[in-house]
Amino acid sequence: MSKFWSPIVSELKPYVPGEQPRIANLVKLNTNESPYGPSEKALEAIRAAASEDMRLYPDPVAQGLRQAIAERYGVSANEVFVGNGSDEVLAHTFAALLKHDPPLLFPDISYSFYPTYAGLFGIEAVEVPLNDAFRIDIADYRRPAGAIILPNPNAPTGIGMPLAEIERLVAEHPEQPVVIDEAYVDFGGESAVALVPKYENLLVVQTFSKSRALAGLRVGFAIGQRPLVDALERVKDSFNSYPLGRAAQAGAIAAIRDEVWFDETRGKIIATRAELIRELEERGFEVLPSQANFVFARHPDHAGRTLAAKLRERAVIVRHFAKPRIEDFLRITIGTDAECARLIAALDEIL
């Protein structure tokens, strides 16, 4: 506390990111980073951009990157917004589109940045409980709302919603903006980008951090009809007109165009996920159905906090959430086959 703080500061509950520990011989399965390095074409583009004249500001509208994203998803460049990671894109979205007199709705078990942003921007929010199977039921969103935001697949559960359900949700709320946060969609989910031309109230947010293995570069984007993107740009240009540096723009352009690398690494992660689920279930774990690059699992005989601590003693880090209903679950990032084998070996020692 300080007498110099603005009043809002003392009321904030900041988001707590996953730990980035420094432990020897670590198997790091706690922050859903890719186990594989980025596309070599992306790395080459980053190196080339870094060797250019960095005294100049980058393109403030990132036109080349927006065009590359537009070509990849079959939309126009003016329907694409880019930002410094999808978290910044989400922050601008909360400010530009989600603050209305009726409350914002989002799941009670979901990305924990949502309530943080709601508090930061003074947005009244209602957390809608997942059902008993830890799924989002769109019937529960048939209530007064100023806006809706959902992750698909959800995090930390990993469970995805079919595109038909997403469309039903968007269609049932034509007067409210509906934001679908697709950070993990490339690992088995159905993207709602195809619905954007049909629905003026739909915004889809994605990231280069997961399936493109560029978490360290910080690039995210949103796709929506022009009036929604215009709102995001107005907020961005009132906050930071140059969010993406030259290297970030160059690397992201190369990454999104390298479809061969994308398909190969995504396929490896999906295959490893299936094998890890099998291994966990053989050892008595309940594993929720995952369409993400992680699994959400619990063991009936072991508390989640205890398992996480014992794994850490063996230099294996997973994510534990000390929250009601999910305190016994562990969120386990899909690593390489060798990293997942280390996890299983550690679990065999513990169990």
Side-chain angles (χ1 to χ4, degrees):
M1 298 288 290
S2 168
K3 64 181 180 181
F4 302 112
W5 285 9
S6 297
I8 191 175
V9 175
S10 60
E11 300 172 3
L12 290 177
K13 296 180 180 179
Y15 171 75
V16 179
E19 183 185 7
Q20 298 287 346
R22 297 183 181 275
I23 298 174
N25 198 27
L26 176 68
V27 174
K28 187 175 183 298
L29 304 176
N30 67 322
T31 50
N32 301 339
E33 295 143 323
S34 174
Y36 304 107
S39 157
E40 184 56 39
K41 293 179 180 178
L43 294 176
E44 290 173 0
I46 292 167
R47 286 191 287 265
S51 67
E52 294 172 358
D53 194 346
M54 296 296 282
R55 68 183 179 85
L56 299 176
Y57 283 111
D59 177 1
V61 299
Q63 187 61 33
L65 176 55
R66 290 168 64 190
Q67 185 61 45
I69 293 170
E71 291 170 2
R72 170 68 172 76
Y73 291 96
V75 299
S76 66
N78 69 3
E79 294 176 315
V80 178
F81 176 84
V82 298
N84 190 2
S86 62
D87 286 336
E88 182 183 73
V89 174
L90 288 170
H92 291 335
T93 300
F94 270 70
L97 300 174
L98 304 187
K99 185 173 183 177
H100 302 278
D101 288 337
L104 169 65
L105 306 182
F106 52 77
D108 66 331
I109 299 172
S110 190
Y111 187 27
S112 51
F113 228 139
Y114 297 163
T116 296
Y117 282 143
L120 177 62
F121 295 112
I123 300 172
E124 180 186 355
V126 172
E127 297 185 7
V128 180
L130 300 182
N131 65 21
D132 290 343
F134 295 100
R135 294 181 178 272
I136 295 169
D137 187 338
I138 65 165
D140 294 332
Y141 289 80
R142 294 172 185 145
R143 61 173 76 187
I148 297 170
I149 182 168
L150 304 175
N152 191 47
N154 194 15
T157 65
I159 298 175
M161 294 175 63
L163 186 59
E165 285 291 284
I166 294 291
E167 181 167 14
R168 188 172 295 115
L169 176 74
V170 176
E172 288 180 358
H173 297 85
E175 302 303 316
Q176 293 80 35
V178 177
V179 178
I180 306 300
D181 182 358
E182 295 186 344
Y184 302 101
V185 73
D186 291 328
F187 301 103
E190 294 184 89
S191 177
V193 169
L195 302 176
V196 166
K198 187 176 178 180
Y199 295 99
E200 63 180 358
N201 61 325
L202 173 63
L203 187 78
V204 180
V205 178
Q206 292 195 19
T207 179
F208 281 74
S209 295
K210 313 300 182 182
S211 59
R212 303 284 173 179
L214 289 172
L217 204 63
R218 312 307 302 128
V219 181
F221 63 95
I223 296 176
Q225 292 190 19
R226 181 59 202 171
L228 300 188
V229 171
D230 185 39
L232 298 180
E233 290 175 351
R234 289 172 65 86
V235 170
K236 175 187 80 76
D237 291 337
S238 300
F239 177 73
N240 178 8
S241 295
Y242 299 97
L244 288 181
R246 288 173 174 266
Q249 292 185 35
I253 290 170
I256 204 162
R257 289 178 173 164
D258 193 346
E259 291 290 342
V260 173
W261 175 92
F262 176 73
D263 289 338
E264 287 179 355
T265 55
R266 181 178 60 161
K268 288 179 183 178
I269 291 168
I270 291 170
T272 302
R273 181 183 68 199
E275 176 63 16
L276 178 61
I277 290 172
R278 186 187 68 79
E279 295 273 10
L280 290 171
E281 289 179 340
E282 282 186 355
R283 288 157 177 79
F285 281 87
E286 174 194 359
V287 186
L288 299 188
S290 175
Q291 292 179 303
N293 68 336
F294 59 85
V295 296
F296 206 48
R298 63 180 170 186
H299 197 283
D301 301 327
H302 297 269
R305 182 186 298 277
T306 301
L307 274 180
K310 290 183 176 180
L311 285 169
R312 185 186 182 90
E313 292 171 0
R314 292 161 174 81
V316 178
I317 306 295
V318 298
R319 190 81 187 265
H320 173 255
F321 298 89
K323 295 182 178 181
R325 297 182 68 192
I326 61 170
E327 64 267 17
D328 284 333
F329 279 91
L330 300 178
R331 193 192 69 189
I332 305 169
T333 301
I334 306 302
T336 63
D337 289 341
E339 288 172 331
C340 290
R342 278 268 309 273
L343 166 73
I344 293 299
L347 286 172
D348 284 341
E349 291 179 9
I350 296 166
L351 300 177

